[in-house]
Amino acid sequence: MAILLWLSGIVAFMAVMPELGIAIWLINVINGVFSFWQEYRANKATDALKKMLPSYVRVIKDNKEQQIFAENLVPGDIMHIEEGDKISADARVLTSSDLQVDQSTLTVVITD
């Protein structure tokens, strides 16, 4: 679409309508600036969401508790979570005692 607007600006200049050509080009530049700004803000929001998710998770493998990167979780891994832990993936609860989950912050709350 942007290429068509640039070409239509050239056509407007060739048709001896410089005001229209300038207006079309300005609209194209303004559209580019807004697009850049929206993408920049979207990238910042994505980075903020990545910071909220934990990068490590405690899992039980081979009857030992290990700490691994959250992106290395695979189906079948058993996560060990405690109060205040943030969960980085969908999970099935195997055992719990007074478990509450705050889904707005992805935080586990264990009450006694």
Side-chain angles (χ1 to χ4, degrees):
M1 188 64 167
I3 293 172
L4 289 175
L5 285 173
W6 287 114
L7 292 176
S8 64
I10 292 171
V11 169
F13 278 110
M14 291 171 64
V16 191
M17 293 189 281
E19 298 88 9
L20 180 61
I22 291 171
I24 291 172
W25 284 357
L26 283 177
I27 288 171
N28 205 16
V29 168
I30 291 170
N31 185 33
V33 168
F34 280 125
S35 295
F36 174 79
W37 180 250
Q38 282 183 327
E39 188 162 342
Y40 174 76
R41 291 187 61 196
N43 285 338
K44 286 191 65 101
T46 302
D47 290 341
L49 285 173
K50 284 181 183 178
K51 287 180 184 177
M52 287 178 56
L53 292 176
S55 58
Y56 292 97
V57 64
R58 291 187 317 253
V59 297
I60 299 173
K61 289 187 179 187
D62 301 325
N63 294 326
K64 293 188 302 186
E65 187 174 312
Q66 303 173 2
Q67 190 171 13
I68 64 171
F69 284 111
E71 60 255 10
N72 293 337
L73 275 175
V74 295
D77 281 348
I78 298 174
M79 293 189 297
H80 182 250
I81 55 176
E82 294 178 353
E83 183 174 359
D85 285 352
K86 294 183 187 284
I87 299 173
S88 61
D90 290 338
R92 181 183 307 150
V93 177
L94 298 177
T95 59
S96 71
S97 174
D98 297 320
L99 176 69
Q100 295 179 2
V101 178
D102 182 1
Q103 293 182 359
S104 65
T105 62
L106 302 172
T107 301
V108 176
V109 178
I110 300 173
T111 58
D112 291 326

